[in-house]
């Protein structure tokens, strides 16, 4: 039985060299990168760099209900594959979770570059890693194999393994993981959205009026916003916020008409961005001090009508 010798070395910013002779998929790796027909005395540097926001995966969740949280990690990976004239060498990256010291990529859009040639890899589908098609023609639920050929200066990709057939990926092409794995349209309902920014409050016809901004609509996934309020007396610190409203994704303002009080003076607000299954962190908190009572409204508080 043929023995396959595996050597793994990975680089994060600082280059470390390694090789994996093809023939057996290493445990825990989900992306395999190969160089072929290169100078046997050198190495091929691969750069995987984020082109979008990156999301990690909730470690306590599983299956299709897992949530994806914003992260600043996994944005830049530099690694090298040893070239060979007589064979191909590879190394692997882990997806989201690393248990063996490998470098990690996550949910997001990446640019993969070798010298002056590049392709894009888009993993912005929160089902990725949980695709249910083991043994199907599109291969393993996670794994992909990418080869750069030095003679043709072209990238090739394979969803099943390191053996042919390989699919040519022209320079500058975007490879969507959901299309490669034949999973239809991507799902983005579990991606944590950005928190609202620059929340402010002012009075409009005697009522608190809120305004905020969205962080980066071009690369975010959200369906709306939740508004929270806390009313305090004098110098009391706000603590128990209650949700008072939910507005759609195209709304970045709110007029608090549902506000009645007699002696309360300090009104505190904060806002969250919401996706279908995941909310953002809170925005900044704002406060407005009202010097006059708001009256002529009908609000039930502890079963008592406040007027």
């Amino acid at each position: 039985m043929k023995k396959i010798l595996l050597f793994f070395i990975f680089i994060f910013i600082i280059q470390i060299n390694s090789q994996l002779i093809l023939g057996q998929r290493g445990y825990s790796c989900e992306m395999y990168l190969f160089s072929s027909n290169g100078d046997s005395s050198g190495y091929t540097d691969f750069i995987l760099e984020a082109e979008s926001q990156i999301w990690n995966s909730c470690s306590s969740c599983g299956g299709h209900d897992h949530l994806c949280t914003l992260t600043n990690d996994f944005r830049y990976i530099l690694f090298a594959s040893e070239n060979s004239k007589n064979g191909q060498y590879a190394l692997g990256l882990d997806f989201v979770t690393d248990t063996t010291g490998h470098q990690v990529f996550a949910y997001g859009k990446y640019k993969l570059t070798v010298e002056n040639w590049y392709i894009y890899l888009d993993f912005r589908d929160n089902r990725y890693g949980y695709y249910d098609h083991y043994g199907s023609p599109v291969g393993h639920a996670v794994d992909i194999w990418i080869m750069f050929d030095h003679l043709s200066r072209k990238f090739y990709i394979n969803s099943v393994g390191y053996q042919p057939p390989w699919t040519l990926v022209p320079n500058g092409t975007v490879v969507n993981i959901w299309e490669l794995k034949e999973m239809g349209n991507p799902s983005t309902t579990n991606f944590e959205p950005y928190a609202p920014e620059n929340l402010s409050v002012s009075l409009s016809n005697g009522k608190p009026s809120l305004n905020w901004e969205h962080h980066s609509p071009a690369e975010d996934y959200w369906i709306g916003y939740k508004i929270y309020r806390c009313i305090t007396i004098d110098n009391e610190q706000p603590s128990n916020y209650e949700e008072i409203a939910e507005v759609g994704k195209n709304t970045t303002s709110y007029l608090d008409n549902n506000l009645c009080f007699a002696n309360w003076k300090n009104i505190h607000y904060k806002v969250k961005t919401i996706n279908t299954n995941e909310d953002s962190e809170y925005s900044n908190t704002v406060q407005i001090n009202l010097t006059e009572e708001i009256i002529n409204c009908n609000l039930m508080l502890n079963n008592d009508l406040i007027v």
Side-chain angles (χ1 to χ4, degrees):
M1 180 178 180
K2 183 181 178 180
K3 295 183 178 179
I4 308 298
L5 180 62
L6 302 174
F7 295 94
F8 292 95
I9 295 186
F10 305 93
I11 305 171
F12 185 72
I13 300 179
I14 299 177
Q15 177 176 316
I16 305 176
N17 296 323
S18 177
Q19 66 184 24
L20 161 63
I21 300 178
L22 295 182
Q24 175 180 331
R25 182 172 59 84
Y27 298 108
S28 299
C29 293
E30 283 76 47
M31 183 191 297
Y32 296 88
L33 297 162
F34 311 96
S35 62
S36 65
N37 297 313
D39 184 350
S40 60
S41 65
Y43 293 83
T44 297
D45 287 338
F46 290 83
I47 296 175
L48 192 68
E49 189 168 12
E51 291 281 311
S52 74
Q53 172 58 47
I54 299 298
W55 288 264
N56 202 345
S57 182
C58 172
S59 60
S60 62
C61 309
H64 295 283
D65 295 327
H66 74 289
L67 302 177
C68 306
T69 57
L70 292 166
T71 181
N72 290 320
D73 297 330
F74 320 130
R75 299 195 61 85
Y76 183 86
I77 302 171
L78 169 65
F79 50 84
S81 177
E82 185 175 356
N83 299 333
S84 173
K85 293 180 179 179
N86 301 317
Q88 297 170 319
Y89 293 87
L91 66 164
L93 303 178
D94 278 339
F95 175 65
V96 172
T97 302
D98 167 47
T99 58
T100 56
H102 300 161
Q103 292 192 86
V104 174
F105 69 104
Y107 295 98
K109 181 180 179 181
Y110 289 91
K111 182 179 182 180
L112 178 64
T113 303
V114 175
E115 299 174 358
N116 295 321
W117 289 266
Y118 60 90
I119 60 175
Y120 296 96
L121 305 170
D122 198 336
F123 300 98
R124 290 177 293 185
D125 180 357
N126 56 234
R127 302 169 302 168
Y128 179 55
Y130 300 92
Y131 290 161
D132 187 17
H133 52 47
Y134 285 88
S136 78
V138 293
H140 188 273
V142 184
D143 293 354
I144 58 173
W145 290 256
I146 300 172
M147 176 175 65
F148 181 78
D149 180 63
H150 284 271
L151 289 181
S152 63
R153 291 292 194 262
K154 296 183 185 300
F155 287 94
Y156 296 83
I157 197 165
N158 196 326
S159 180
V160 179
Y162 68 91
Q163 296 178 340
W166 290 88
T167 300
L168 171 66
V169 183
N171 190 60
T173 297
V174 178
V175 177
N176 298 320
I177 191 62
W178 54 92
E179 294 177 354
L180 183 67
K181 294 295 185 178
E182 299 181 2
M183 291 299 295
N185 294 326
S187 173
T188 59
T189 57
N190 290 357
F191 287 127
E192 177 190 2
Y194 288 100
E197 295 183 342
N198 300 320
L199 176 64
S200 63
V201 61
S202 60
L203 284 180
S204 176
N205 295 322
K207 300 293 182 68
S209 177
L210 302 175
N211 289 275
W212 61 88
E213 298 175 358
H214 196 87
H215 175 85
S216 179
E219 60 174 29
D220 203 3
Y221 302 100
W222 82 107
I223 61 173
Y225 304 91
K226 291 179 180 178
I227 296 93
Y228 296 82
R229 182 182 66 199
C230 178
I231 302 174
T232 61
I233 302 173
D234 298 326
N235 294 322
E236 179 184 2
Q237 293 298 312
S239 57
N240 297 320
Y241 281 85
E242 62 173 344
E243 180 185 335
I244 60 170
E246 184 175 317
V247 297
K249 67 177 298 181
N250 295 322
T251 301
T252 55
S253 63
Y254 178 75
L255 183 63
D256 192 358
N257 285 310
N258 190 20
L259 181 64
C260 306
F261 64 88
N263 295 318
W264 302 316
K265 300 296 184 183
N266 304 318
I267 319 297
H268 309 264
Y269 296 95
K270 55 186 178 181
V271 180
K272 276 186 176 182
T273 311
I274 58 174
N275 198 354
T276 303
N277 298 321
E278 179 75 321
D279 295 349
S280 74
E281 298 291 333
Y282 286 108
S283 69
N284 58 297
T285 301
V286 294
Q287 173 183 335
I288 191 166
N289 301 319
L290 300 181
T291 58
E292 297 180 1
E293 300 176 357
I294 295 180
I295 59 175
N296 298 324
C297 54
N298 296 319
L299 174 68
M300 297 300 296
L301 180 64
N302 297 328
N303 295 320
D304 294 324
L305 181 64
I306 299 177
V307 294

